[in-house]
Amino acid sequence: MPFLKLYRLATHALTPLAGPLLNWRVTQGREDPARLDERFGVATRERPPGRLIWMHGASLGETLALLPLVERFIQRGAEVLVTSGTVASAQLLCARLPAGAFHQYMPLDAPAFVDRFLDYWRPAIAIFAESELWPNMVAALRARGVPLVLANARVSRQSAERWGRFPGAARKIFGAVDLCLAQDADNAARFIGLGAPYVRVGGNLKYDVPPPPADPAALSAFKGAIGARPVWAAVSTHDGEDEQILDAHAEIAQQVPALLTVIVPRHRERGAEIATLAQARGLSVALRSRDGDPRPDVAVYVADTVGELGLIFRSVGIVFMGKSLAAGGGQNPIEPAKLGCAVLHGPSVDNFLEVYAALGAAKAAARVNDARALARAVHYLLSDPKRMRRMGRAGAEVVEKLGGASRGIIDAVEPYIAQVAIEGR
C-alpha cells in the first residue's frame, strides 16, 4: 500500500486517541489546557471578513522568522492568521503579534481536524516556514485549490535522505508546494531533488526579525541587580551542555570570583534540573521563575521564563549559543548579534552554517570545542571589554547587511495572492 494512503488511513483510525494523547501532553506541560479545542481544528475566535493570509511555523524559531512577513502583509491591509504547535511559541506570539494578526494552534494532522480547520478559516493562501509539511494538510489544501508556499525553506541533508527512502511520497508532498523559497542554494537543490516544482532562493527571514523586546522597567531592575558584576550568558542550552557550562563557570570563577553566569535553557521546564546540577557542584543558584532578579550571592542564575531573551541579551556582552557543544546542529545567533553581543558557539552548528560562517569571518563569533575552551574564551573577553564590544559591533553589522529577504518574499508571493483575488476566493 502506498505510504501516503497508509498514513491517511492510520491517522483516521487513530483519531479517537487524540483526546487522551493531548490530555497526557497537558500533564507534561506541552499543551495549553485552555486551548485544546484548537488542536481538534475548532476555532476559538471569529474569522475576520475578507481574504485571510495563513502563516504557519512549527515552533518558536520558525514562527518568529515569519514576523517580518506578518508586518508587511498587515501594511498591505491583510488579516493574518498565524499558527504554531508549541506552548512557548503561542505565548511569545500572543505578546509580539501586531494588530491585524492573531494566533491559533495548528490542528493535529487527522483528516477530520484538518477539514474542520480549513472549512472555518478558508485561507486565501498558506505560507509555511521551513519544511513543516503534514501530509493530510497538504492534500486538503491541494484539494481546495489553496496556494501553498514554503518561505524561509530549509531541509537538512539528513531529512532529505530520509524522505529519499519514500520517493513517491516525497514527490506527492513536495510536488504540491506551489512555490518554495529556499534559504540558500544548497537547500534549494535539496528541495528540487525532493520534487518541489518551482524553487527559488529567497534568503533567510531570520535576519529581518526585529530584536526581541524588553520591558524597560524589568530591564532596569535586572541590570541594577547585576550591578558591576562580570556576567555572561549561555542561551538555548540542551541536555548534556549545562554540565559543561557549569564546569566553565567554576574555572572562570577561580580568577573572577564575582562572576555571574546566566543559563537560559531551550526548554524552560529544565530549569529546576539545571539548578540541581549547580547545587551539586556547591554553587549558589537562583531560578528567575521562583526567585526574581539575581541576588549578589547568586553565582548561577537560571532564566527559566518565556519571552525575556531581549532582557538577557541587553544585559550581557557575551552569549554562548547552545545546542552546539552536543551534536545538535546549533541555535540561531542572529538575535544576540543584532543586540551587540559577542557570540561563542560549539562545533555543531550545521543548522545555521551560513550565519555562523559570516559572523566568524567578521570576527564577531568564535568557536569553542569544550568547557575548558569556553572558559578561556569567556575569561579573555571579560578581561578585554574593548575586544568584546568590537565583536558585538561587528556582529550587528553582519546581520544588518544580510537582511532584506522579507521584501523579496513578499514580491514573490504577491502574484499568488493576486490570482486568488481574480478567482474571487
Side-chain angles (χ1 to χ4, degrees), residues 250-267:
E251 187 166 336
I252 303 164
Q254 292 177 13
Q255 300 176 26
V256 188
L259 178 70
L260 175 64
T261 294
V262 178
I263 300 178
V264 186
R266 178 66 179 85
H267 303 289

Side-chain angles (χ1 to χ4, degrees), residues 63 67 70-71 74 80-82 92-104:
T63 46
L67 285 179
V70 173
E71 292 275 7
I74 289 173
V80 182
L81 163 66
V82 182
L92 200 60
L93 284 170
C94 288
R96 292 186 64 174
L97 282 176
F102 55 95
H103 177 268
Q104 296 276 280

